[in-house]
Each structure stands twice: as structure tokens, then as C-alpha cells.
Amino acid sequence: MISLDSFIYCKDQFFATGLAEVIPNGLAQGTFTFFDNEYILEYGARESIHATPTQPIIFIDNDLDYYALQILTKDSNLLLISKKCKLSEILTSLLLFKKKDAYKVGLSLSQSELQVLECLIRGATIEQMVATLKRNEKTIYAHRNAIIKKLNLKNRNALYRLKTWADIFK
């Protein structure tokens, strides 16, 4: 676990050190708190995210985490930024607080796929999704498979990562 200057929480020493070097201390200190998605998943930093008087920023590196956090934190004011962003894009997102352009997904999910993903995050079974979404079982399976393909997941077991996010943001 790495914590730099009490405003960067990250598992990756290289990333945390680089971020601390490029983000002006005056900009970050007292204004933002930076979290790495892997840090949150391992250490469950929900209390830190919600207890901080500063603006929480989460750096993510995959579309599954992006969609999970969008669904679970839709009412909050989190800023999600790609770990692969250029420095100029990071600073622009911070200074202008541009939530829309801070993370770009590879392939967008359809509205139906988002509904299935939300049900998966909530831990619903296929039968519960059929009843809730009023769709055929085969349609639910097709949407789940499309989610797996669009998010470049190896198999459906990769969706279990959603449970960890759901547990953190209950």
C-alpha cells in the first residue's frame, strides 16, 4: 500500500510517484485526493473516498471498472480518469472538472446491456433479470455475452470483479 503526501493512494509505486511529480502540490493538496482502482479493490477505500473533504479522483485502466463505477456512483461527484491519459488531459480534467471527457471507453454498451450490467452489479440471477427487465432468458445471456466481448473480458468469471465494486460502494 502506497500513500504519498496523504492525497495519493495507489498500489503502483511508479504510477504514484509519477503522479506526485506531475500534479502541482498546490493544486492537489486540499483540493483533490487521488485513488488507483486497484488500490480501492484491494483495500476497500470507500470510507476514504466518502470521508475526504477534497474531490476524489479515481484512476482506472479498464472499461469494466468505468461502467461499474458509473453505475454505482451515478449520484456522486467522482471524476474517473484513465491511467493512460496524457498529462495535459489529466490536468484539463482536473482544472475544468470535465467528467465527460476524462475516460474514453473502447466500445460503448447499449442501454439494454447497461441494464444487464447493473443487474449483474446488484448480484441478480438470470431468473431475476428476466423478471426485472421483462426480457427472454436468451436475450439476457446474449447481452451478457456482448458485455464480455465489448469490454474485452476473457470470460464471464471476469464479471466477478463487479461484486467487489458493489461491496465497496454499498
Side-chain angles (χ1 to χ4, degrees):
M1 175 171 70
I2 300 163
S3 174
L4 295 174
D5 300 327
S6 301
F7 68 93
I8 299 175
Y9 299 89
C10 184
K11 279 184 62 180
D12 181 346
Q13 175 72 41
F14 181 75
F15 184 78
T17 304
L19 187 61
E21 288 296 319
V22 298
I23 302 294
N25 201 20
L27 172 67
Q29 202 75 28
T31 307
F32 299 108
T33 303
F34 300 96
F35 297 91
D36 169 31
N37 62 334
E38 296 302 326
Y39 175 91
I40 295 170
L41 287 170
E42 185 164 331
Y43 299 108
R46 180 181 196 270
E47 292 78 23
S48 301
I49 291 170
H50 295 302
T52 181
T54 62
Q55 175 60 53
I57 310 293
I58 301 177
F59 282 91
I60 56 177
D61 57 4
N62 63 69
D63 292 348
L64 181 62
D65 288 351
Y66 170 79
Y67 281 114
L69 287 166
Q70 286 290 82
I71 290 168
L72 291 167
T73 64
K74 60 183 153 198
D75 296 329
S76 67
N77 205 17
L78 283 179
L79 180 62
L80 306 174
I81 300 177
S82 173
K83 289 181 186 176
K84 299 171 186 163
C85 269
K86 298 176 187 173
L87 175 60
S88 61
E89 293 170 330
I90 293 171
L91 292 174
T92 300
S93 295
L94 295 178
L95 294 172
L96 301 177
F97 202 75
K98 292 174 58 176
K99 289 181 83 169
K100 183 180 174 215
D101 299 325
Y103 185 87
K104 293 172 180 50
V105 293
L107 291 172
S108 296
L109 297 180
S110 70
Q111 192 62 36
S112 296
E113 291 162 348
L114 285 170
Q115 290 172 335
V116 169
L117 185 65
E118 186 165 1
C119 288
L120 289 168
I121 288 172
R122 306 278 181 232
T125 64
I126 297 295
E127 294 77 23
Q128 292 168 330
M129 286 187 243
V130 167
T132 303
L133 301 176
K134 301 189 181 2
R135 298 231 167 54
N136 185 307
E137 187 174 314
K138 287 183 180 183
T139 304
I140 301 294
Y141 282 119
H143 288 318
R144 186 185 68 186
N145 290 336
I147 291 167
I148 291 167
K149 185 176 181 180
K150 285 182 177 181
L151 300 183
N152 294 320
L153 304 176
K154 292 181 182 181
N155 54 42
R156 66 187 168 102
N157 291 333
L159 292 172
Y160 286 110
R161 184 177 179 107
L162 296 172
K163 171 121 176 59
T164 307
W165 281 121
D167 290 345
I168 291 170
F169 284 95
K170 277 186 180 175

